[in-house]
Amino acid sequence: MISPARRPARHVAARMTATMALVLAASGCAGSTGGGKDSDAEATSLTVLDYYTDAPEHHQWTETLASCGRRAGVRIEHTSVPPASLVPQVLRQASSHTLPDLLMLDNADLQQVARTGALAPLDTFGPLNGATNGATSGTASGTASGIDTRDVTEGILSAGTYDGKVYGLAPYVSTVALFYNKDMLAEAGVAVPRTWDELRAAAARLTRPGRYGMAVDANATFEGTWQFLPFLWSNGGDESKLDTPEAARALRLWVDLVKSGSMSTSVLNWNQADVHDQFAAGRTAMMINGPWRIPALKADEKLKWGVAPVPVPRAGQPPVTPLGGEVWTVPRSDSTARQKKAARVLGCLNTPANTRALAAQHLTVPSRAGVAAEYAEANPSMSVFVDSVKDARVRTARLGVRWPQAATGIYTAIQSALTGRQTPEEALKDAQRIATGAGL
């Protein structure tokens, strides 16, 4: 999640979940973009679909795709759509057997698509891990000898895995952390909070007329769920059973911040961009957000900011944050040649050199552990995110394709508890009913 256009999920996708399963299953899930012969010589171009629109920060993708295409001996026909349009377009293309040769998906959407048979397992194109394509130099793309996944952590690989098979790889990933205004904390004599108790105290001391101490995105979308997950998971809560004391204590923290006046009730309507705007304007001293906000923060020379791990219930424990980002996949088609070429391009996107270059362009974390460590040394503001990614959890890890129901239950509970309609315990009991499909 997620991040925006790297956002963790979109509420449109939640509404489309059941429809996707039916449409893709009925369609047979096989694309027909290639057709014809299976000789590699017949595959001279590939179609690529993502939701990286024409924003300047996404121009690197166009260049990288073209370069990887040249190495695979194909011309890239690259199409981008707005984030909310990707899943509906995949539905339409699946039903008409016109899926692209290479498809990008938010990692939380992968299992829903993979279970229909629309995607090819990446070991179809050779064994994973033991690639002999020279990928460690960053100069070669995936080949029939395998796609190189060496040094990709198990957690990141799981983001592209369904039913024990890897269907997608992420060149980079993201998560969230605590951003804070250095001047405001210094003026108030407040240390950077590391625990929930410290967060409550710091937010209260930083709050004054015209300024709140803390801000989160608590809106009624998957983005609100994404921001709550570090608090839920770090306290031992689990989306597979939401009506627990651990989950209630996490939600109580947010309720207390709002009730005490340390956090605005407007968080119920803010998305992550809104939270950033409040922080940049000096209307909140701290916020939860992702590294994709760093370029805008750096552009404001008057703003002195820092970044720290998301506060945890008890001192000394690492936060458990959600793993965001997109995975690249190879849809099935009736052309083996096109699939092989697409796999080569996918392998190229995930070489060490490209993971670092793309992560630097997007202010995210390279998916290869060794590359990420070097990247953090060169980019200190990213070190918190690199460390958090090590323990980050994939949103679909516990529930798989049932994740959207749980996510809907969570953001519904957040809305109900923060508005005072229900206690955290009551709200989470209803959330559990939503998560299990029992309704209200």
Side-chain angles (χ1 to χ4, degrees):
M1 126 161 31
I2 287 211
S3 50
R6 292 176 293 281
R7 282 181 185 167
R10 292 150 298 282
H11 58 279
V12 172
R15 295 197 300 269
M16 299 298 292
T17 297
T19 307
M20 178 188 288
L22 292 172
V23 172
L24 290 178
S27 72
C29 306
S32 59
T33 55
K37 300 177 182 179
D38 281 344
S39 167
D40 272 7
E42 297 298 319
T44 59
S45 67
L46 295 178
T47 55
V48 177
L49 178 65
D50 59 34
Y51 56 55
Y52 295 149
T53 52
D54 291 331
E57 65 267 24
H58 296 145
H59 292 172
Q60 179 74 30
W61 266 111
T62 301
E63 297 173 7
T64 304
L65 280 167
S67 174
C68 287
R70 287 192 294 271
R71 290 176 182 172
V74 293
R75 176 173 51 85
I76 297 296
E77 298 174 3
H78 181 204
T79 301
S80 291
V81 297
S85 300
L86 182 65
V87 170
Q89 182 151 327
V90 169
L91 290 173
R92 291 193 298 271
Q93 292 181 331
S95 63
S96 60
H97 304 283
T98 56
L99 283 167
D101 297 304
L102 194 62
L103 172 65
M104 185 211 75
L105 292 167
D106 183 276
N107 69 46
D109 294 331
L110 178 127
Q111 293 204 8
Q112 187 66 36
V113 179
R115 75 164 177 172
T116 68
L119 306 177
L122 296 185
D123 62 6
T124 301
F125 311 105
L128 300 179
N129 269 331
T132 57
N133 53 26
T136 53
S137 69
T139 59
S141 60
T143 70
S145 63
I147 294 174
D148 183 15
T149 58
R150 289 170 292 183
D151 204 30
V152 177
T153 64
E154 183 178 348
I156 293 175
L157 272 181
S158 70
T161 299
Y162 170 71
D163 199 21
K165 290 282 189 177
V166 178
Y167 287 87
L169 285 180
Y172 53 70
V173 293
S174 63
T175 191
V176 293
L178 178 76
F179 288 84
Y180 58 92
N181 185 302
K182 291 184 175 181
D183 290 338
M184 291 179 184
L185 267 67
E187 180 187 4
V190 171
V192 178
R194 301 292 179 175
T195 67
W196 287 4
D197 286 343
E198 291 174 358
L199 176 63
R200 285 189 181 95
R205 289 185 62 180
L206 290 163
T207 298
R208 59 191 58 188
R211 186 180 82 197
Y212 291 93
M214 180 65 176
V216 299
D217 168 354
N219 71 11
T221 71
F222 285 8
E223 208 169 275
T225 297
W226 157 267
Q227 288 232 329
F228 181 67
L229 288 176
F231 299 90
L232 173 70
W233 288 344
S234 296
N235 198 46
D238 190 330
E239 61 273 22
S240 64
K241 186 168 177 54
L242 293 168
D243 53 346
T244 64
E246 291 80 10
R249 281 195 292 270
L251 186 50
R252 173 65 63 187
L253 172 66
W254 280 23
V255 169
D256 289 347
L257 289 169
V258 170
K259 279 189 173 181
S260 68
S262 298
M263 194 157 71
S264 172
T265 56
S266 296
V267 299
L268 290 159
N269 301 310
W270 288 344
N271 61 29
Q272 292 180 123
D274 298 325
V275 171
H276 166 91
D277 291 344
Q278 295 294 316
F279 182 79
R283 291 191 286 270
T284 185
M286 299 181 291
M287 68 170 178
I288 299 296
N289 227 315
W292 53 87
R293 295 295 166 195
I294 290 177
L297 294 174
K298 284 184 174 179
D300 186 345
E301 295 180 357
K302 296 181 180 179
L303 184 63
K304 306 303 180 186
W305 56 275
V307 61
V310 176
V312 292
R314 294 163 295 280
Q317 69 176 108
V320 183
T321 59
L323 188 72
E326 296 79 31
V327 293
W328 288 79
T329 69
V330 178
R332 294 185 185 274
S333 80
D334 55 6
S335 172
T336 302
R338 298 180 73 87
Q339 287 185 295
K340 287 180 178 179
K341 293 283 191 177
R344 292 178 188 177
V345 174
L346 184 150
C348 177
L349 293 176
N350 285 275
T351 59
N354 279 335
T355 61
R356 182 180 180 118
L358 291 167
Q361 180 74 15
H362 291 256
L363 267 293
T364 46
V365 177
S367 57
R368 295 179 183 273
V371 177
E374 295 174 357
Y375 176 75
E377 287 185 14
N379 301 274
S381 62
M382 291 298 300
S383 61
V384 168
F385 297 99
V386 171
D387 288 342
S388 293
V389 158
K390 295 174 185 176
D391 295 305
R393 185 183 299 174
V394 179
R395 286 155 284 165
T396 53
R398 295 287 192 273
L399 298 179
V401 296
R402 294 190 293 119
W403 161 250
Q405 291 173 264
T408 301
I410 290 170
Y411 71 65
T412 302
I414 292 170
Q415 291 273 307
S416 185
L418 265 60
T419 56
R421 291 196 301 270
Q422 292 179 299
T423 65
E425 291 78 8
E426 292 168 343
L428 287 164
K429 283 182 181 178
D430 285 346
Q432 181 62 19
R433 295 189 188 103
I434 294 172
T436 58
L440 295 177

